[in-house]
Amino acid sequence: MPEFRLADFGSYTAGGRVVEISGEPVRELQFTSTTTYRHDPNGALAIEHAYVQYFTPATRSRLPPIVLLHGGGMSGAMWETTPDGRPGWLHGLLAAGLEVHVVDNTERGRAGWCPVPGLWPGEPILRTVEESWTRFRFGEVDAGGQRRAFPGQRFPVAALEAFARGFVPRWTTLGDAAAAALGAVLRRIGPCILLCHSQGGEPAFRAAAAAPGLVRAMVAVEPTGFADPAALRDIPTLMVMGDYREHSAHWRGVSRRCADFAEALAGQGGRADWLDLPAQGIHGNSHMPMMDNNNQEVLARILRWLGACLG
Amino acid sequence: MPEFRLADFGSYTAGGRVVEISGEPVRELQFTSTTTYRHDPNGALAIEHAYVQYFTPATRSRLPPIVLLHGGGMSGAMWETTPDGRPGWLHGLLAAGLEVHVVDNTERGRAGWCPVPGLWPGEPILRTVEESWTRFRFGEVDAGGQRRAFPGQRFPVAALEAFARGFVPRWTTLGDAAAAALGAVLRRIGPCILLCHSQGGEPAFRAAAAAPGLVRAMVAVEPTGFADPAALRDIPTLMVMGDYREHSAHWRGVSRRCADFAEALAGQGGRADWLDLPAQGIHGNSHMPMMDNNNQEVLARILRWLGACLG
C-alpha cells in the first residue's frame, strides 16, 4: 500500500435531537465485578444524530468532498478494509485525493441508538448470514443446503463470517430521522459528492432534495429508495449496478425502480447515467462492489464519471 | 495541525461467536418507502466480536503498538476529535509515532449488538446528560437546578451536548464477552501497550491476565475494575487519576480500589506507578482527561512514562 499523507482527520456528530425521559424507576445495576451503581434513566438523552469520521488528504484533487452513506444493517466500516483484508473504497478515494466523510447514520455504529422502550417504533433486526448470502447475490443454496457461489463471483465468499461481523442492528421505521441527520451532515460540509448504497438511497436522495445546491453529484450504488425527481433534477446522478440481478424477483424489481427513477429524472430535465457493470463487460459483481475483488476498478470508473461531470 | 503520514490504516474484527436462531416467525417489514421485504430472523448471527480501526504512522517510535479501550457507554470515537473540536489522544499518539488500534468492544459502536430478545441478560442503558455531569466530575447542580462547573474545570463543558452524542447504549452483564473479544484483539496484534478507561479497566486487566507476555505495559485511566494481581505482576502499570475525586463517595471508592489494587500488585512483586494529576500540581482534570483542555499535556506525561518503561 502506498503511504497516505493526511492534512487532517477526525470525527464529529451532526443533527439529532434531545429527548427528556421522566417518571422511570431508578435501578441498582452491577457495573463491574467490584462496583455497582444507581442507574437513573430519567433526564436528557441525545439521539438520532449521525457520527462522521473524515479524512483530508494532504494533496487534494479538484473534486469536492465525498460523503459515504452505508446501506441497511451496515455502518461506515463497510467502506474500510474489505472482509478479506484488502483496501476499501475509503483507501481508493483518499489515494485519488478526495476528502472523505464516512457516515454512521442514525441508529448505526458509533451514532448509537435509543434503548428506551417505545420511543422508536418497530423493532431492531440483525441480518443473518443466510439472508446476506441470497439477498446480496453471492450465490444460491443447493438442494442439499450447501452454499454455491455464482460462477465468476467477485465477492470474497471465503470471508463470509468476517463480513457478517460488520452487520449492525437497524430499525426499518426511522427514515425521517435518517434523512434529517444526513441533511445536517451535508449542511456542515457544504458542496459535496454523495455516494450511497442500497437502503441508503432513500435517505441520501431525500437529504439531497432537501438541501438545494449542496450535492454536486450523486453516486447511487444499487439504491432501493429515492425521492422527488423534480427536486433532484439539477444533480447529475450515476446508477451503479452489479451482476446476477436477473436471478431474483427482488433484484429485477430494484432494477426496474432504478430505471423508473432515471426516466422520471430525465422527464424533469435531469440526468442519470449508468454504470451497469455487466452491460459494460464487467461480470461477477455482487451487491457489495466496494468489497468485491475488482473494487478499485469499479471505483476508478466512478471517479472517471465524477471527473467528467465536475472536473 | 501537522500533516499525518500513514504507512497503513484500516479496520478488522476479532473474537465473538456465531449463534443459531431458529423457530422464530417470519415477518413482512417495510424497508424503504417503496419496498418491503420478508424478514426471516432464523439463521446464523455473528455477535460479541470487537471492531478495531488501526493507524500505522510512516515513522514509528520504538514503542510497541498501543490498544485503546473505551469506558462504559462510550465507543472508540472517544479517542478522536474532542467534543469541542480539538485533536484527541489518537492524534497525539500518531504524532508520537505509535501504531494505534482503536477498539469498539462487544456491544459498542461498530461492533454491533444483539437484538434477539433474551439472548443477552439484562437490559441496555443509555447515559443521560445529567448523569454524565455529576458522574464524570464536570461540576455540581446548584439548589436552583443550574449546572455549575467545578472551579478550574478543564473539560469543555460548553460542548456537553456534543459529548452526549458520543454515548452509545451498553449492557452491564457482558463482562465475560468483552474480556474475551479484547483478548482476541491482543492475540491478533501481538506484544502491545494497553490503555483503558474507567469501566474498560475490568475487561482490559482480565484480557491482559489471560494473555501472558502480550501486554508490555498497562495504562489505566481511572479504572473501575481489575483482575487477579498475581497474573498481572509482570505488567508495569500506570494509574492515571484526575481532580475533584474527593467530592463524591463514588470516586473516593474508586480511588481506594485503585490503591488497593496497586498494593496487591506490589505484594506480588509487580509495579504500579501513579500519574495522580492533582498530586503532581496539575489541577482541573475531569474523568475524561483525553477530552480536557490539557489532554495533550496529560498524554505527554503518559508517553514519558512509557518511554522510561519500554523505550
Side-chain angles (χ1 to χ4, degrees):
Chain A
M1 193 178 309
E3 185 175 298
F4 289 91
R5 289 174 46 236
L6 300 177
D8 190 13
F9 78 102
S11 61
Y12 57 90
T13 54
R17 64 187 174 111
V18 170
V19 290
E20 297 285 343
I21 306 298
S22 61
E24 295 293 321
V26 171
R27 292 178 296 163
E28 193 76 24
L29 296 173
Q30 191 72 25
F31 186 42
T32 68
S33 68
T34 58
T35 58
T36 60
Y37 81 81
R38 218 176 132 269
H39 173 64
D40 182 350
N42 301 295
L45 298 176
I47 61 171
E48 296 175 14
H49 47 273
Y51 161 88
V52 184
Q53 192 179 47
Y54 69 93
F55 300 88
T56 309
T59 306
R60 297 275 302 273
S61 86
R62 286 179 307 172
L63 293 172
I66 188 165
V67 181
L68 305 183
L69 182 66
H70 52 71
M74 307 296 293
S75 76
M78 68 174 281
W79 311 105
E80 299 175 343
T81 309
T82 65
D84 60 336
R86 291 171 292 111
W89 280 6
L90 171 58
H91 299 83
L93 288 163
L94 288 176
L98 278 85
E99 177 177 302
V100 186
H101 294 249
V102 180
V103 178
D104 286 5
N105 210 3
T106 299
E107 104 198 359
R108 307 284 179 78
R110 289 173 167 180
W113 51 282
C114 181
V116 180
L119 212 139
W120 281 352
E123 285 166 27
I125 55 172
L126 180 60
R127 196 186 302 282
T128 62
V129 172
E130 288 80 357
E131 187 188 73
S132 75
W133 182 262
T134 51
R135 176 55 57 110
F136 293 165
R137 306 195 311 272
F138 300 153
E140 298 177 305
V141 179
D142 71 16
Q146 290 295 304
R147 291 183 191 123
R148 304 286 180 199
F150 289 135
Q153 176 58 253
R154 292 181 175 278
F155 184 83
V157 293
L160 186 63
E161 190 178 319
F163 175 58
R165 288 195 290 266
F167 303 165
V168 296
R170 73 173 190 277
W171 278 253
T172 57
T173 53
L174 298 177
D176 291 349
L182 182 63
V185 173
L186 299 181
R187 288 192 300 277
R188 178 174 169 136
I189 297 171
C192 61
I193 300 160
L194 183 49
L195 189 158
C196 62
H197 178 238
S198 195
Q199 173 268 343
E202 180 165 313
F205 281 110
R206 285 181 61 184
L214 281 189
V215 177
R216 303 263 325 271
M218 174 77 83
V219 178
V221 181
E222 301 193 354
T224 58
F226 307 96
D228 177 14
L232 295 163
R233 65 180 181 187
D234 294 331
I235 305 175
T237 296
L238 182 68
M239 308 287 255
V240 181
M241 310 297 288
D243 207 347
Y244 314 112
R245 284 175 288 130
E246 70 285 3
H247 287 270
S248 77
H250 174 78
W251 288 109
R252 288 192 297 272
V254 171
S255 300
R256 193 175 53 246
R257 285 186 291 276
C258 287
D260 290 347
F261 174 73
E263 199 175 313
L265 208 53
Q268 296 289 338
R271 168 183 159 200
D273 294 331
W274 290 83
L275 179 53
D276 183 328
L277 294 166
Q280 298 189 18
I282 300 176
H283 296 281
N285 281 105
S286 72
H287 184 50
M288 307 301 295
M290 69 296 294
M291 299 177 183
D292 289 345
N293 68 13
N294 62 342
N295 62 343
Q296 303 301 336
E297 181 190 349
V298 175
L299 180 61
R301 289 182 180 239
I302 292 170
L303 286 167
R304 209 170 308 150
W305 179 83
L306 286 169
C309 229
L310 304 173
Chain B
M1 196 180 305
E3 186 175 297
F4 288 90
R5 290 175 45 237
L6 301 177
D8 191 12
F9 77 102
S11 62
Y12 57 89
T13 53
R17 64 188 174 111
V18 170
V19 290
E20 297 285 343
I21 306 298
S22 63
E24 296 293 321
V26 171
R27 293 179 294 163
E28 192 76 24
L29 296 173
Q30 191 73 23
F31 186 42
T32 67
S33 67
T34 57
T35 59
T36 60
Y37 81 81
R38 219 176 132 269
H39 173 65
D40 183 350
N42 301 295
L45 298 177
I47 60 171
E48 297 175 12
H49 47 274
Y51 161 87
V52 184
Q53 193 179 46
Y54 70 93
F55 299 89
T56 309
T59 306
R60 296 274 303 272
S61 85
R62 286 179 307 173
L63 293 172
I66 188 165
V67 180
L68 305 183
L69 182 65
H70 52 72
M74 307 297 292
S75 76
M78 68 174 281
W79 311 105
E80 298 175 343
T81 308
T82 65
D84 59 335
R86 290 171 293 112
W89 281 5
L90 171 57
H91 299 83
L93 288 162
L94 288 176
L98 278 84
E99 177 177 303
V100 186
H101 293 249
V102 179
V103 178
D104 285 5
N105 210 2
T106 300
E107 105 197 0
R108 308 283 180 79
R110 290 173 166 179
W113 52 280
C114 180
V116 179
L119 212 139
W120 281 352
E123 285 165 26
I125 56 172
L126 180 59
R127 194 187 303 281
T128 62
V129 172
E130 287 79 358
E131 187 187 72
S132 75
W133 182 263
T134 50
R135 176 55 58 110
F136 293 166
R137 307 195 311 272
F138 299 154
E140 298 178 306
V141 178
D142 71 17
Q146 290 296 303
R147 290 182 191 125
R148 304 286 180 199
F150 289 135
Q153 176 59 254
R154 291 181 176 278
F155 184 83
V157 293
L160 186 64
E161 190 177 320
F163 175 58
R165 287 195 291 266
F167 303 165
V168 296
R170 73 174 191 275
W171 279 253
T172 57
T173 53
L174 298 177
D176 290 352
L182 181 63
V185 172
L186 299 180
R187 289 191 299 277
R188 176 171 170 140
I189 297 171
C192 62
I193 300 160
L194 183 49
L195 188 158
C196 62
H197 178 238
S198 194
Q199 173 268 344
E202 180 165 312
F205 282 109
R206 286 181 61 184
L214 281 190
V215 177
R216 304 264 322 273
M218 174 78 83
V219 179
V221 181
E222 301 193 353
T224 58
F226 307 96
D228 177 13
L232 295 163
R233 64 181 180 186
D234 293 331
I235 305 175
T237 295
L238 182 68
M239 308 288 255
V240 181
M241 310 299 287
D243 207 346
Y244 312 113
R245 284 176 287 130
E246 70 285 3
H247 287 270
S248 77
H250 174 78
W251 288 109
R252 288 192 299 269
V254 171
S255 299
R256 192 175 55 245
R257 285 186 290 277
C258 287
D260 289 348
F261 175 73
E263 198 175 313
L265 208 54
Q268 296 289 337
R271 168 184 157 199
D273 294 329
W274 290 84
L275 178 53
D276 183 329
L277 293 167
Q280 298 189 18
I282 300 175
H283 296 280
N285 281 105
S286 72
H287 183 50
M288 307 302 295
M290 68 295 296
M291 299 177 183
D292 289 345
N293 68 14
N294 62 341
N295 63 342
Q296 302 302 334
E297 181 191 349
V298 175
L299 180 62
R301 289 182 180 239
I302 293 170
L303 286 167
R304 210 171 308 150
W305 180 83
L306 286 169
C309 227
L310 303 173

